Amino acid sequence: MGRGQQTPNPAKAAKKALDKGSHLNRQDDSRRKNYRQERLENRKVLKNVKFEDKNEIEAIGDQVVVVPKKKFYRQRAHSNPFSDHRLDYPTRPEDMDWTRFFPQYTSSDDKKQLVKPVTIADVGCGYGGLLVQLAPLFPDNLIMGMEIRVQVTEYVEDRIFALRSQNLDKANKLYQNVSVMRGNAMKFLPNFYHRAQLEKMFFCFPDPHFKNRKHKARIITNTLLSEYAYVLKDGGIIYTITDVLDLHEWMVKHLDYHPLFERLTKEEEAQDVCVETMMNATEEGQKVSRNKGSKYVACYRRLPNPEL
């Protein structure tokens, strides 16, 4: 080392790098906070907007018509369904106000009633990839996504508002028939839906809960299947897909065992547009495709209750 040069201090260098990283993290946190606060203000205004007047939407702000940036809504991949998430839910389906999710379908006679009920549910909808694909495929159905994670739910809501505003000029007003709510289907599904209300339920790439002691938290169990059978109409279909073979076998085993479900044949699955759609619509499905992984599908039809 040359004369007059000081020996580098590793501790000081590490502290300097740490301080720089902390400063950058604070900047990122600040940008994220400001961005999401701006979107929150938009959401407050848009919740009851029917998306009929383009001038009205544009007056709210340019950010309305822009698809939100996913990087500002990132959250853990999974959430403990048994934790207290301080969720809002009705005591019974009759008390549920659906109009805040589907203002375009609000009855003119009663402001808290819809002209038709929700009939398709995507349980654990993630970032809404399947929802926005199903919306134009089933324009006559109301489709609801259920997601337990706060920031992910906010992203999907902002995404739907953006898509609605971008399609105001379309004759059929695309994406008015799809929405999302923050909810825990494992605890409160019958609080939202009447008996035999749903035609289709989707469970796409659910949390595998690999450990044996965590299997009780899997979205498909004998007890939960009875609740799904309760809200599904006769002939209604449960769609499942995962990239985890063990979880696929678990779901098939429980669905096969349940007396109110029968598996669709391979021919029926091949002819069902929903199967093809859910294979690649979700973020997880696209990730599996990029990694050249396997996808396991199992679909089951709701059988009529046996005669007593």
Side-chain angles (χ1 to χ4, degrees):
M1 180 173 292
R3 188 175 178 181
Q5 292 181 334
Q6 296 181 349
T7 303
N9 188 322
K12 285 186 177 180
K15 184 178 184 302
K16 184 177 180 180
L18 182 62
D19 290 343
K20 183 178 180 181
S22 299
H23 176 68
L24 293 175
N25 286 336
R26 285 195 296 271
Q27 284 185 325
D28 289 341
D29 288 343
S30 178
R31 283 197 295 267
R32 185 181 297 109
K33 182 178 179 180
N34 292 337
Y35 180 89
R36 293 183 58 213
Q37 182 62 35
E38 183 180 87
R39 304 304 300 223
L40 173 62
E41 297 304 320
N42 275 342
R43 274 199 305 278
K44 289 179 180 178
V45 176
L46 293 170
K47 281 186 181 291
N48 296 307
V49 172
K50 290 189 175 183
F51 289 86
E52 295 176 321
D53 187 345
K54 189 172 184 178
N55 293 329
E56 178 187 12
I57 300 302
E58 291 178 345
I60 297 173
D62 294 336
Q63 289 298 315
V64 180
V65 297
V66 178
V67 174
K69 298 178 181 179
K70 192 180 296 182
K71 66 180 182 180
F72 292 118
Y73 300 81
R74 286 294 183 184
Q75 197 170 348
R76 294 181 56 179
H78 303 291
S79 181
N80 183 358
F82 300 126
S83 296
D84 182 6
H85 294 278
R86 299 182 181 179
L87 298 167
D88 293 327
Y89 59 92
T91 55
R92 55 178 187 165
E94 290 82 0
D95 299 327
M96 180 62 184
D97 179 11
W98 292 102
T99 59
R100 59 194 174 101
F101 300 103
F102 303 98
Q104 184 72 28
Y105 293 90
T106 301
S107 171
S108 58
D109 299 329
D110 188 338
K111 292 185 177 181
K112 286 198 173 184
Q113 295 295 325
L114 297 177
V115 295
K116 54 185 175 182
V118 173
T119 54
I120 299 177
D122 182 6
V123 178
C125 66
Y127 288 92
L130 179 63
L131 289 175
V132 300
Q133 293 290 329
L134 291 176
L137 289 176
F138 297 92
D140 297 326
N141 294 76
L142 297 188
I143 306 167
M144 175 57 72
M146 300 185 74
E147 174 58 50
I148 199 170
R149 293 169 292 172
V150 179
Q151 292 171 200
V152 179
T153 306
E154 291 174 351
Y155 170 82
V156 179
E157 193 170 17
D158 287 340
R159 183 180 185 180
I160 291 171
F161 287 151
L163 289 170
R164 287 178 180 177
S165 63
Q166 291 171 356
N167 288 272
L168 283 175
D169 296 332
K170 302 291 176 62
N172 54 359
K173 297 290 194 298
L174 287 173
Y175 304 103
Q176 302 282 0
N177 64 325
V178 64
S179 191
V180 64
M181 72 164 74
R182 182 168 178 253
N184 187 341
M186 291 181 67
K187 284 186 175 182
F188 307 118
L189 194 71
N191 293 75
F192 293 101
Y193 301 109
H194 291 277
R195 181 178 182 178
Q197 177 176 334
L198 299 179
E199 298 175 4
K200 301 178 185 294
M201 294 183 71
F202 292 87
F203 300 91
C204 298
F205 301 96
D207 190 340
H209 292 291
F210 288 108
K211 297 178 181 178
N212 287 338
R213 63 184 177 87
K214 293 284 190 178
H215 285 179
K216 62 183 179 181
R218 286 181 167 176
I219 197 67
I220 298 292
T221 63
N222 289 334
T223 301
L224 289 173
L225 283 174
S226 293
E227 292 196 359
Y228 304 154
Y230 176 81
V231 298
L232 273 171
K233 64 185 296 186
D234 291 355
I237 298 176
I238 279 182
Y239 297 84
T240 74
I241 184 171
T242 179
D243 59 326
V244 179
L245 180 58
D246 174 69
L247 178 60
H248 170 71
E249 292 174 343
W250 165 282
M251 293 191 291
V252 167
K253 171 186 171 184
H254 286 75
L255 281 157
D256 282 344
Y257 178 79
H258 201 283
L260 292 179
F261 291 100
E262 70 172 3
R263 189 169 183 177
L264 269 61
T265 65
K266 292 298 182 183
E267 290 76 16
E268 289 175 314
E269 288 183 356
Q271 296 171 6
D272 193 326
V273 66
C274 293
V275 174
E276 180 182 356
T277 303
M278 75 175 180
M279 288 285 286
N280 297 295
T282 68
E283 183 181 66
E284 285 296 322
Q286 293 167 6
K287 187 186 303 181
V288 174
S289 294
R290 288 195 299 270
N291 296 333
K292 300 187 182 337
S294 299
K295 301 176 189 177
Y296 306 99
V297 173
C299 304
Y300 284 76
R301 181 182 296 105
R302 206 291 197 187
L303 298 173
N305 293 335
E307 295 184 6
L308 299 177

